[in-house]
Amino acid sequence: MIMDTQLASLLTAGALIVIGIFGTLFLDNLIKKVISLAFIGDGANLFLIAMGYKAGGIVYIFLPGMSMSEFSQNAAYPLPFALVLTSIVIGASTMAVMLGLIIVLNKKYGSLSASKILGDN
Amino acid sequence: MSTENLLIPLMIIIPITCALFLNLLHEKSRVVKIISVIVALLLPTIPLLANYGIQYFGGYAPLAQNPTIATGLPTFITGTALNIFHPAITYVFGSAQKLMITILGFVALFAIFISLYEVKKPSGVYIYLILMGVASVMAMLLSDDIFNLYVFFEIAALTQVGIVLVSKVKNNYETALKYLIVGSIASPMLLLGIALLLGVTGNVNITDIVYSIKTGLVDPHSPVLLMACSLIVFGWLYAAGLPPFHTIKSAMYSKALPTGAAVLQAFSVFTFVALGVIIIRIFSYLHFAEIFILGISLIAMVLGITMAITQTDFKRLIAFLAVGELGYIGVGFGLGTVFGITAGLFQAVNEAVITALLFIGFGTIMYKTKETELKKLGGMLVETPKSALLVLLAGLAMAGVPPFNAFQSKLMLVQSSLNSGLPEVAIIMVLLSIVTFMTFMRAFHTIYLRPKPADLVIENENIPKVTIVAMVCLLIICLVFGLYPQLATNYLQGLAMGIA
Amino acid sequence: MNIYDFILKKIKDVKMETGDEGPVTNISATSMLTAEITIISSLLIGVVMLRLLNRALMMALIVIVFLIIFMAMPIMPKLKREQNDSLATMSFYVIVALAIIVSLFYWGNLNV
């Protein structure tokens, strides 16, 4: 293995966030802007879940027959997994509202250009 | 301390449940009215009646306080820090939370009452949004769990957008979308900061994070923690509407209905407090964090108030003033002394009340004329003498004129900055108070005192009685805190001593 | 040309650029002037706070800031133009602020 899985995930998360920020700043199409924002959110989520990674870890369910010390030494950290689910749901709902607003504004302006719709008004 | 206090979770659960229920019934205006009035009355009364205490959601008290579970566990759990960590979402209800949640409840109560009686057919959706927002900001104030706080932070952001969307003010959709886009850059950064804290300390409970840092379980000066601090501070700037978010925040206020703007600014003030307290609790050992908070607060004051002077729309003017006044709270936090933080918290409570009063007061002009451009208004003193007097008193209160409450808190802020050896901060604060007053007087003069333009049409004759009553009640709160500041500071001092 | 006329002219220029209609009234000119004075005085008082860091640096900076302000005289119209409601400006400043905050915290906490 060339690179540790956790490090690879963290680097991917960083790349996603940077690409997302770049897209949000420089793309004019509103739909593309929203996709870039999704990149930022996904990067943060990936980062969060990579925090719970443990090399060679086992699923954090205490099964009968397992010794307690073996479980406590090998189980992965469960908290980030639970948190990231909530965070994904929040991101999805925010995006739904954004896309809904874009539909309304597209009807009003007949365009998807951010500089035209979201200019100084 | 009693852990069996059912009223603490009910503070959050009642508004959320009723909000969801109201959303379903939004065509039946009579039922909506009755339920809204009952819930609105409950908002400030539950925190007043509740006892101080700690609530553990979905878990149990720390093992050290919980011998029934702790017996029989191996020593690598009970013998280490795990023994005192909080394995639950913890809500802490202390005296400071009691005062702030009650004040938030009062602002929401008046906003809901006015919105119910100003329109013929009350909208369940609007009340739903206000209640949802109030519940989430209350949860942010109560929560001792940083991820739970993030969840409610996002719900609050969405409800703020919703409050702007239902207002029917021109260009509100554009402003809402801008707020969402800017927010979608900022809130993942806050999440990233939380993820870094989780990665370093393995915890999301703030008390446990502070314990890990203070006792040296983690290296306090590790670069990851510095990064986490900066990202959480960035999220805080967004939540509170400090620069660079002051333009979008003030645009949001100005695109909402007056009652909506009143609750929106209360949300910002208390979100500011909730996140600011957390930043100071976790990162107060980093001297630079306090310097930064002080600096950004001064910038917010200067930019907010100077932008307010140059506005031509009175809603935007008040909105920028509201953003500028936030800086005063931040100065108290940035000074970092017990007295300074108490003053900052006191200023937060005062500002939530005064700005709500101003938004509602100037809202009566919008109610009568449907006009917000300053240059098209004039001569309203004859039309609305009562509300003009109340607005004038509110403006005096905002500028910090005795005997109102902001005088006491600004005086405390000036004293604490002098005590900390920073007279310059005191000078800037006094200077900007004067400019605030001048800005307010300019708007007041243009709207009420100069001759009425010939083309100004009065659309609604009478202002609803409930609006005037609400304004008088808010003014009474201002006067009481102004005459007896100990009433508030005694409640707030405990929290300030705990974090300074 | 005295300073008042100068500022009035600058405000007119800005208004033309932004496509804002309506005459420059007495009130709007006074407001701009107040904002200008407020911002200059708070900036200068703010610089005095650097005395906690280094007294010589503070004196030098006060002179420099004063000169810069004097050269760039009506600051407020420029500042107002920067704080407009367009999404492009807003998100630009948000990203700039993020970069500044992250680097400041990293540098500041290791050095202050």
Side-chain angles (χ1 to χ4, degrees), chain B residues 178 181-182 185 189 223 226-227 229-231 233-234 237 244-248 251 286-289 291-292 298 302-303 306-307 309-311 316 375 421-425 427-428 431-432 435 438 442, chain C residues 20-22 27-28 30-32 34-39 41-43 45-46 48-49 51-52 76 79-80 83-87 90-91 93-95 97-98 101-102 104-110 112:
Chain B
K178 281 178 205 164
I181 291 179
V182 172
I185 303 173
M189 295 301 147
L226 302 184
M227 190 76 166
C229 180
S230 62
L231 291 172
V233 165
F234 185 71
L237 297 185
F245 297 97
H246 61 302
T247 40
I248 184 65
L286 298 173
H287 187 51
F288 184 76
I291 297 177
F292 183 82
L298 288 175
V302 173
L303 285 184
T306 50
M307 279 302 280
I309 313 176
T310 58
Q311 295 305 311
R316 196 72 196 266
K375 62 180 174 222
L422 291 170
E424 295 88 352
V425 177
I427 296 170
I428 295 180
L431 176 75
L432 289 174
V435 181
M438 183 232 146
R442 179 185 148 229
Chain C
D20 211 356
E21 294 125 40
I27 285 189
S28 67
T30 322
S31 316
M32 270 304 184
T34 319
E36 182 83 23
I37 295 168
T38 314
I39 219 155
S41 41
S42 342
L43 195 64
I45 298 169
V48 175
M49 258 190 285
R51 79 195 147 82
L52 298 171
M76 199 53 214
L79 214 58
K80 198 181 172 190
Q83 300 177 67
N84 63 13
D85 283 347
S86 103
L87 180 73
M90 264 182 220
S91 40
Y93 278 111
V94 167
I95 302 295
L98 176 63
I101 289 170
V102 170
L104 259 188
F105 267 79
Y106 198 77
W107 173 87
N109 280 314
L110 298 178
V112 174

Side-chain angles (χ1 to χ4, degrees), chain B residues 391-454:
Chain B
V391 167
L392 179 64
L393 291 176
L396 291 175
M398 181 180 240
V401 175
F404 294 105
N405 50 358
F407 165 71
Q408 299 285 0
S409 54
K410 286 187 178 174
L411 185 67
M412 280 172 76
L413 282 170
V414 168
Q415 279 172 347
S416 60
S417 61
L418 290 177
N419 290 345
S420 310
L422 291 170
E424 295 88 352
V425 177
I427 296 170
I428 295 180
M429 281 196 288
V430 173
L431 176 75
L432 289 174
S433 275
I434 299 169
V435 181
T436 305
F437 186 62
M438 183 232 146
T439 314
F440 168 77
M441 274 322 282
R442 179 185 148 229
F444 189 80
H445 171 264
T446 341
I447 294 174
Y448 288 102
L449 301 179
R450 70 170 188 186
K452 186 177 161 188

Side-chain angles (χ1 to χ4, degrees), chain B residues 257-467:
Chain B
L257 293 172
T259 49
V263 284
L264 282 186
Q265 65 81 25
F267 292 172
S268 309
V269 167
F270 289 115
T271 317
F272 181 111
V273 170
L275 267 169
V277 164
I278 285 170
I279 292 170
I280 294 182
R281 264 180 81 187
I282 301 179
F283 297 108
S284 60
Y285 69 93
L286 298 173
H287 187 51
F288 184 76
E290 287 177 352
I291 297 177
F292 183 82
I293 292 177
L294 192 61
I296 199 79
S297 309
L298 288 175
I299 295 174
M301 277 156 66
V302 173
L303 285 184
I305 292 171
T306 50
M307 279 302 280
I309 313 176
T310 58
Q311 295 305 311
T312 53
D313 179 307
F314 72 77
K315 280 176 86 182
R316 196 72 196 266
L317 188 149
I318 304 294
F320 265 118
L321 276 187
V323 172
E325 293 288 305
L326 277 179
Y328 285 89
I329 313 171
V331 167
F333 283 14
L335 291 172
T337 56
V338 174
F339 191 57
I341 294 173
T342 313
L345 292 171
F346 187 25
Q347 168 73 15
V349 170
N350 295 341
E351 203 199 311
V353 178
I354 295 172
T355 320
L357 178 51
L358 269 180
F359 272 122
I360 293 171
F362 277 115
T364 58
I365 303 292
M366 230 186 99
Y367 180 75
K368 280 189 85 106
T369 63
K370 303 265 183 296
E371 189 58 69
T372 59
E373 277 289 313
L374 275 176
K375 62 180 174 222
K376 290 180 188 159
L377 286 164
M380 295 302 291
L381 186 64
V382 192
E383 304 285 338
T384 61
K386 273 186 225 151
S387 74
L389 178 68
L390 290 167
V391 167
L392 179 64
L393 291 176
L396 291 175
M398 181 180 240
V401 175
F404 294 105
N405 50 358
F407 165 71
Q408 299 285 0
S409 54
K410 286 187 178 174
L411 185 67
M412 280 172 76
L413 282 170
V414 168
Q415 279 172 347
S416 60
S417 61
L418 290 177
N419 290 345
S420 310
L422 291 170
E424 295 88 352
V425 177
I427 296 170
I428 295 180
M429 281 196 288
V430 173
L431 176 75
L432 289 174
S433 275
I434 299 169
V435 181
T436 305
F437 186 62
M438 183 232 146
T439 314
F440 168 77
M441 274 322 282
R442 179 185 148 229
F444 189 80
H445 171 264
T446 341
I447 294 174
Y448 288 102
L449 301 179
R450 70 170 188 186
K452 186 177 161 188
D455 53 350
L456 185 66
V457 189
I458 307 287
E459 297 200 6
N460 285 315
E461 266 313 310
N462 291 317
I463 299 170
K465 276 219 171 57
V466 67
T467 311

Side-chain angles (χ1 to χ4, degrees), chain A residues 51 77 83 87 101 108-109 119, chain B residues 147 173-174 178 184 191 199 202:
Chain A
M51 287 288 156
Y77 191 41
L83 301 185
S87 159
L101 276 172
K108 183 174 165 190
Y109 289 87
Chain B
F147 190 80
Y173 281 72
E174 286 85 340
K178 281 178 205 164
S184 303
L191 181 64

Side-chain angles (χ1 to χ4, degrees), chain C residues 4 26 33 40 53 58-59 63-64 69 75 93 99 105 107:
Chain C
Y4 184 80
N26 221 336
L33 213 56
I40 292 174
L53 215 65
M58 174 211 64
M59 284 181 200
V63 175
I64 294 170
I69 288 172
I75 305 172
Y93 278 111
F105 267 79
W107 173 87

